[in-house]
Amino acid sequence: MDVKQKLASKYDNVAIYTSGFYADPEDELGTRSKLMETLKSLVMNQHADTPFSLQIMTTNGEINVMPLGLLSLDELKTYENERRQKNGLNADDDGIPLVVQFAAHTEKNQVVKKIVGTTQQLFSDFNTQFALIWDVVKADLETNQNLLTTIEQDLIADSADVQKEYLANFKGMDAKTRQDKLGFELKDSDMTHFSAFMADMHEVQAVVLSAASFSKNEIIGDDLFAQVMNDKVSRNTLFWVLDNTFYEILYYFIEKYRTAPNGEKIVKHLHHQKRLLIINMRNDAFQRAQNYLEDAKVKVDMDKYLTDIFVPIAEQLASEVDKFNN
């Protein structure tokens, strides 16, 4: 029996042991602890030949820890053929390679895979193998964070152009026209600051609408909101989108104002405000979801749902920045 047949006989019609969690980009220690607890639970409650997949959701991608061949048996067959060509027939053994896979949720992303020992070694020498797995996961998390920063820099660059457009429009109006358009008096001395605020809100809206589009197309589809909330996987994915959106907005302000005259104080303050803001966001999102569920047949406008949650948070972040700039 070749390796493909061997794995097919193991994986066909066998339930896959799955688990997952969200990696807070500001809590490396917490992520390491969750990873250790999850893998330890696997080792204590399953066998070494159990098909399993551990998923770590990140701000712009996902990391999977799983046996090679779980998603594609052809991958395992290719690996075995290459190993035999390199080491000869004596390389045969029953160990199934363990792979850590990082997939960025960006256009033209490259899926990166690294083999870290075998599943049997994880079960027989947990501490040694966990250290090796964590080294790879940690590096993937750093790659993910760099990706997040790059995305923020693109938004910041766009905001500079948008600010110029707003400022030019405001300068082209007289005081009365500005008041009629905006509903309040905008002094000449405040135009630069207000145009920067409007540009920031423009970028925030782009992040929010992108998250709403993903939610509609990848999570909800043709289902009702109630169906999504009643399905554990769909519900968890939706709340991952909420956390992800929060961090994209938070890091937009952190990266944009890092180089301001009081940038160090601003960044420190925003980090400090994060804990309360994300708790309030989750509570607000949950309460709004519960209100929608009062009518099980309601179709939720995800653009409005996410906008109502995140625009006030963005306005609060902008207000926190102003405390140091004024």
Side-chain angles (χ1 to χ4, degrees):
M1 181 182 293
D2 68 15
V3 69
K4 187 172 182 179
Q5 292 173 318
K6 183 168 61 177
L7 266 292
S9 66
K10 281 187 179 180
Y11 288 169
D12 283 352
N13 301 317
V14 176
I16 299 176
Y17 181 92
T18 61
S19 186
F21 61 87
Y22 181 81
D24 183 330
E26 296 188 344
D27 188 7
E28 180 182 298
L29 184 61
T31 299
R32 183 182 185 279
S33 178
K34 288 177 183 177
L35 178 61
M36 176 178 279
E37 290 173 3
T38 306
L39 289 176
K40 194 70 174 177
S41 176
L42 168 71
V43 170
M44 293 178 65
N45 294 290
Q46 302 294 325
H47 298 290
D49 60 353
T50 299
F52 73 92
S53 178
L54 165 61
Q55 183 180 55
I56 305 172
M57 300 303 298
T58 66
T59 50
N60 288 286
E62 59 187 272
I63 301 170
N64 282 280
V65 181
M66 58 192 173
L68 183 68
L70 185 69
L71 300 182
S72 173
L73 291 174
D74 288 329
E75 286 185 343
L76 186 58
K77 187 172 184 179
T78 300
Y79 169 83
E80 290 288 359
N81 288 338
E82 291 175 351
R83 194 164 66 106
R84 287 173 183 171
Q85 289 177 3
K86 180 179 179 180
N87 301 321
L89 295 177
N90 293 333
D92 284 346
D93 62 47
D94 292 329
I96 298 175
L98 186 66
V99 65
V100 178
Q101 173 180 297
F102 174 60
H105 291 170
T106 57
E107 292 184 9
K108 301 179 181 178
N109 73 83
Q110 293 279 337
V111 176
V112 179
K113 301 178 182 180
K114 185 168 183 179
I115 292 174
V116 188
T118 66
T119 56
Q120 285 74 11
Q121 288 171 323
L122 177 64
F123 278 73
S124 63
D125 188 3
F126 180 84
N127 291 335
T128 299
Q129 287 304 115
F130 175 79
L132 297 174
I133 293 170
W134 170 245
D135 284 344
V136 178
V137 170
K138 182 179 178 181
D140 288 340
L141 290 172
E142 290 173 357
T143 299
N144 179 78
Q145 191 67 7
N146 291 335
L147 177 62
L148 174 60
T149 302
T150 299
I151 291 172
E152 303 298 5
Q153 292 300 330
D154 289 343
L155 292 172
I156 291 167
D158 184 65
S159 75
D161 294 333
V162 173
Q163 181 183 357
K164 291 177 183 177
E165 293 179 12
Y166 275 117
L167 187 57
N169 288 335
F170 293 145
K171 286 182 175 180
M173 305 175 191
D174 58 31
K176 184 178 185 307
T177 302
R178 287 200 300 265
Q179 184 163 0
D180 290 342
K181 291 280 187 180
L182 298 173
F184 60 88
E185 181 184 3
L186 179 62
K187 298 178 181 179
D188 290 350
S189 59
D190 292 334
M191 283 194 295
T192 298
H193 176 264
F194 186 68
S195 63
F197 169 79
M198 292 295 291
D200 288 344
M201 293 304 107
H202 175 87
E203 302 307 322
V204 166
Q205 194 67 19
V207 171
V208 169
L209 293 180
S210 175
S213 176
F214 177 86
S215 300
K216 287 183 284 187
N217 295 326
E218 303 297 332
I219 303 175
I220 297 177
D222 295 328
D223 294 337
L224 294 170
F225 189 73
Q227 292 173 285
V228 172
M229 293 300 290
N230 286 328
D231 178 79
K232 182 179 179 180
V233 174
S234 298
R235 183 176 66 250
N236 287 347
T237 305
L238 176 60
F239 279 89
W240 163 74
V241 171
L242 295 175
D243 274 17
N244 180 51
T245 305
F246 173 86
Y247 280 110
E248 286 200 24
I249 294 171
L250 172 67
Y251 272 89
Y252 170 82
F253 284 93
I254 286 175
E255 294 301 323
K256 180 168 185 177
Y257 294 99
R258 185 185 295 279
T259 57
N262 290 314
E264 186 175 342
K265 292 182 179 179
I266 291 173
V267 170
K268 184 177 181 180
H269 181 67
L270 293 183
H271 279 300
H272 182 71
Q273 292 294 310
K274 166 245 175 180
R275 180 173 178 80
L276 179 60
L277 287 174
I278 197 169
I279 289 173
N280 289 343
M281 180 278 291
R282 289 168 177 162
N283 289 338
D284 183 33
F286 180 76
Q287 187 57 57
R288 291 178 187 275
Q290 291 300 110
N291 292 341
Y292 283 129
L293 292 177
E294 290 180 2
D295 181 357
K297 295 184 179 180
V298 70
K299 280 189 171 291
V300 176
D301 182 342
M302 293 304 293
D303 290 349
K304 184 178 187 305
Y305 176 60
L306 293 181
T307 296
D308 289 346
I309 293 169
F310 288 108
V311 166
I313 290 174
E315 291 174 344
Q316 178 65 36
L317 289 168
S319 175
E320 298 298 330
V321 170
D322 283 345
K323 292 178 182 178
F324 293 88
N325 286 341
N326 296 327

